[in-house]
Amino acid sequence: MDNKAKKNALHIENVTMQFGGVVSVNNLSIDVPEHDIIALIGPNGAGKTTAFNCITGVYKPTNGLIEFMGTPMVRSYPSGKDRKNYKGENADKYRGKSVLNPTPDEITKLGIARTFQNIRLWNSMTVFENVLTAKHMRAKQNVFSAIFRGNRSEEKRMREETMELLKEQGLDAYKDENATSLPYGLQRRLEIARALATDPKLLLLDEPAAGMNPQETLELADFVQEIREKYDLTVFLIEHHMDLVMNISDYIYVIDFGSEIARGKPDEVQSNQKVIEAYLGVGEEEG
């Protein structure tokens, strides 16, 4: 299907992230259609994780607009000292419109969940507790009332749903184990299960295959496609394993030094000379 024919779950427009005098993401525009698997790739230090951080509220972009499900979610423009030192494009495009700068938890509640390149499980908690804690994001109560059993039926429901999610992801046998004691591949799966516990519409995966062996990577490809169907998800991922990217992506964006150098379907990107040149001699990285 034509990428432009679908409704976008995520629309990124002219996003620039500048740190001091360094432009990490430069005038980036990306569309992530509903139910697609879209990949963002690029060599070392290209700005991929910075782009994810702008989407999820970790960073406030220096300039640009991010819409989620057709509604503006993040909007910014350079002002004050940032305006004087701004090196990006479209400095005045969003001027005069209200600045939108939601926090990460507010963005999660909207329906966006993410994983991280370096796994960030709560290492003092069990497998079950990691997922249950994420469940509280959708609770009809706050965490404190749950702890003190202010609403027993709500707590019971969340615990049952947590157990069901662990069973679905093949993690129920490890429910009482410390999360960080699991083998690496299972920790990755647990991190994704924890993200699913927030009931997202859009799942952002930051190098989900990092550290996996070839067999685990193959299994991950199947897993991502399975959860996309089961949970009716849209998936936006950063990844360096090109076999994985080419096998599961509907569309790919390529950036280098923070700027887009190519976009297209997997076969188009794979044969793009600019992409080939950007990747020459490149190894594993933090995006």
Side-chain angles (χ1 to χ4, degrees):
M1 182 179 289
D2 183 354
N3 205 41
K4 294 182 179 180
K6 293 184 178 180
K7 180 180 177 182
N8 289 320
L10 186 72
H11 171 69
I12 302 169
E13 181 182 292
N14 306 128
V15 166
T16 295
M17 186 70 231
Q18 183 171 324
F19 299 99
V22 178
V23 178
S24 182
V25 173
N26 183 29
N27 202 43
L28 186 64
S29 294
I30 292 174
D31 285 327
V32 181
E34 286 186 323
H35 203 61
D36 274 8
I37 299 177
I38 304 298
L40 177 63
I41 67 172
N44 292 2
K48 304 181 298 297
T49 295
T50 298
F52 265 29
N53 286 339
C54 289
I55 296 165
T56 55
V58 177
Y59 297 150
K60 174 189 174 183
T62 312
N63 192 54
L65 169 70
I66 301 173
E67 294 181 347
F68 178 57
M69 306 303 291
T71 301
M73 179 180 73
V74 174
R75 183 165 54 218
S76 186
Y77 55 85
S79 59
K81 185 178 178 180
D82 286 341
R83 177 171 172 79
K84 181 179 178 181
N85 298 327
Y86 186 60
K87 296 182 178 181
E89 302 175 41
N90 298 296
D92 295 317
K93 183 168 183 178
Y94 306 101
R95 186 168 297 279
K97 298 181 180 179
S98 58
V99 171
L100 303 173
N101 185 31
T103 60
D105 64 303
E106 290 170 338
I107 288 174
T108 301
K109 289 177 181 178
L110 288 175
I112 299 177
R114 75 172 289 183
T115 65
F116 296 85
Q117 179 182 350
N118 300 313
I119 297 174
R120 298 187 185 181
L121 297 171
W122 293 304
N123 57 18
S124 63
M125 295 183 181
T126 65
V127 168
F128 183 87
E129 290 167 340
N130 262 268
V131 178
L132 179 61
T133 301
K135 269 284 176 189
H136 282 283
M137 181 63 68
R138 295 293 181 194
K140 298 174 183 176
Q141 57 185 13
N142 60 47
V143 174
F144 299 104
S145 66
I147 291 172
F148 294 107
R149 296 294 190 266
N151 188 330
R152 291 179 182 273
S153 62
E154 179 74 358
E155 180 71 7
K156 181 175 182 291
R157 178 188 64 79
M158 288 190 292
R159 295 180 74 87
E160 289 173 349
E161 290 178 358
T162 295
M163 198 63 224
E164 185 61 30
L165 183 57
L166 291 177
K167 287 178 181 178
E168 288 176 356
Q169 306 310 322
L171 294 167
D172 52 313
Y174 309 97
K175 70 181 183 68
D176 296 322
E177 294 190 23
N178 186 282
T180 54
S181 71
L182 296 182
Y184 192 84
L186 290 180
Q187 288 190 41
R188 283 285 179 195
R189 188 174 286 246
L190 174 58
E191 192 180 32
I192 294 173
R194 187 179 64 179
L196 293 175
T198 67
D199 193 24
K201 301 180 182 71
L202 172 66
L203 180 62
L204 275 58
L205 302 176
D206 191 346
E207 294 201 38
M212 290 187 175
N213 62 42
Q215 181 58 37
E216 289 172 330
T217 301
L218 284 174
E219 292 171 358
L220 176 67
D222 291 338
F223 178 59
V224 171
Q225 290 174 316
E226 286 170 7
I227 62 173
R228 187 257 297 259
E229 297 302 324
K230 182 176 181 59
Y231 296 96
D232 193 24
L233 290 172
T234 304
V235 179
F236 188 26
L237 79 151
I238 295 169
E239 188 49 68
H240 271 292
H241 287 68
M242 287 301 100
D243 286 345
L244 175 64
V245 170
M246 297 301 165
N247 284 338
I248 71 172
S249 301
D250 295 297
Y251 202 79
I252 300 170
Y253 291 82
V254 190
I255 61 174
D256 194 13
F257 296 107
S259 298
E260 180 186 317
I261 61 170
R263 65 169 68 185
K265 295 181 179 178
D267 56 343
E268 297 169 336
V269 168
Q270 201 166 18
S271 60
N272 186 292
Q273 189 59 36
K274 288 184 179 180
V275 177
I276 294 169
E277 291 172 359
Y279 270 95
L280 283 176
V282 171
E284 295 298 318
E285 66 112 346
E286 143 54 43

